[in-house]
Amino acid sequence: MNSSDGTMPGSGETGHRDGRKDSRANGRGHGLPGAALDPPGPAADRPLDPPGPIPHRSPGLPGPAVDRLHLATGLVLVLSGLLHLLVFAVDGGPWDGPVSWRKPVTFGLSFGVTLITVAWVTSYLRMGRRLRSGLLTVFAADCVVEVGGITLQAWRRVPSHLNMETPFDTAVSMTLAVGGGVLVVLLALFAVSSFRNRPTGPAGMPLAVRSGFAVLLVALASGAAMIARGVVLTRTGHQEAAYHSTAALKPLHGVSLHAVLVLPALAWLLSRTSWSEQVRHRIVAVGVGCYAAAVAAAGVWAVLTY
């Protein structure tokens, strides 16, 4: 102890150091000089995924690696469809019917575009990053299985769906049916998420995303109805009738399937204009009404011809 002032030696220096610590602590996160002196904590102390919804990312900008993987997978499926269009041009044969090059063409293009669309549109959903990435990964794998099974059977010159002729054909057909069920569950989960929490994005995008997923549920329901009716006819010995039983629902299924792309794409294109938010929102609302009318017309036609 210092005999002159009653303090411990070095206590003044310690007090200055403590003061600087407090200054840095109080300045943290507020842009004060002391904030820059704090080194970041160890990686183990920081969460891997930020809590809450995924921050909105402008469409067209590079996303996480997992998103790029899904987009690349979708592009491969689209290229597969285009390749088989070339095969059809060279090989010929019927375009309609259960055995034709039409199926690998249309399913490759449709599944590829749908995968790319869902990977993009779900970036507007307010859901955890890990959950979204996990669901998208399962969705992408299921799309590959569906297109792969259909393409395999096309090269074998046998029907892909509702084909119970041999044990192998039955296995392929049932795999495609189960895969369709998985698609329904995954897309329904995305649809529920879009209605539980308002999607992000420019004016009209929340309405476009929600409407797109709502119409997509119509496509899923019509697809499930086609498979269910075909399976029943096949199990009761009406194989040829099963192949033709899906014709009435195909227009409804096709029109409603891509609303989740068309409507958000409209909202995104409008966001590139200088029009006011109110005008853009009204245009999206009109687009939703027109698309709903088209789906209703396809539904009426399905009922009349079923």
Side-chain angles (χ1 to χ4, degrees):
M1 177 176 291
N2 190 310
S3 59
S4 61
D5 56 13
T7 59
M8 294 293 294
S11 61
E13 181 180 353
T14 304
H16 287 303
R17 286 198 301 268
D18 294 339
R20 286 195 299 271
K21 284 183 179 179
D22 293 339
S23 174
R24 288 195 298 270
N26 292 332
R28 184 180 294 114
H30 297 284
L32 299 180
L37 299 178
D38 279 343
D45 296 336
R46 297 193 299 273
L48 295 177
D49 293 323
I54 303 174
H56 174 62
R57 204 171 52 245
S58 298
L61 296 179
V66 65
D67 281 4
R68 291 196 294 271
L69 175 61
H70 299 146
L71 295 176
T73 304
L75 287 175
V76 170
L77 296 180
V78 170
L79 290 175
S80 173
L82 295 176
L83 174 63
H84 284 89
L85 184 60
L86 179 61
V87 171
F88 170 72
V90 174
D91 185 62
W95 179 254
D96 293 322
V99 181
S100 70
W101 293 116
R102 170 187 56 85
K103 299 193 76 172
V105 171
T106 56
F107 277 81
L109 293 175
S110 181
F111 272 91
V113 170
T114 301
L115 175 55
I116 294 172
T117 299
V118 171
W120 169 56
V121 172
T122 55
S123 67
Y124 293 105
L125 299 183
R126 298 179 183 272
M127 64 190 310
R129 187 182 302 276
R130 285 184 175 179
L131 175 60
R132 172 177 171 268
S133 297
L135 293 177
L136 280 177
T137 299
V138 176
F139 182 73
D142 200 7
C143 289
V144 171
V145 170
E146 292 287 310
V147 175
I150 292 166
T151 303
L152 171 66
Q153 296 296 73
W155 282 97
R156 295 182 65 236
R157 307 285 181 166
V158 297
S160 54
H161 293 87
L162 310 175
N163 184 359
M164 311 294 179
E165 295 296 330
T166 68
F168 182 81
D169 292 331
T170 300
V172 173
S173 180
M174 295 308 297
T175 298
L176 296 177
V178 172
V182 173
L183 292 176
V184 170
V185 173
L186 293 174
L187 293 174
L189 289 175
F190 285 131
V192 170
S193 176
S194 72
F195 283 95
R196 288 188 61 186
N197 300 291
R198 180 182 173 85
T200 62
M205 185 61 76
L207 174 62
V209 171
R210 285 175 167 175
S211 301
F213 273 115
V215 176
L216 180 62
L217 294 180
V218 176
L220 299 178
S222 58
M226 286 191 288
I227 294 175
R229 179 171 172 80
V231 169
V232 169
L233 290 173
T234 300
R235 295 295 187 184
T236 55
H238 302 86
Q239 188 71 54
E240 286 300 321
Y243 291 144
H244 300 288
S245 65
T246 61
L249 290 173
K250 283 182 179 179
L252 175 62
H253 182 70
V255 171
S256 55
L257 184 63
H258 296 295
V260 73
L261 167 62
V262 174
L263 297 177
L266 173 62
W268 180 81
L269 289 173
L270 290 172
S271 71
R272 323 307 286 182
T273 69
S274 59
W275 296 337
S276 67
E277 291 189 358
Q278 288 184 340
V279 171
R280 286 183 277 147
H281 190 277
R282 288 173 184 171
I283 294 176
V284 171
V286 171
V288 170
C290 293
Y291 211 104
V295 172
V300 170
W301 190 87
V303 171
L304 295 177
T305 59
Y306 193 64

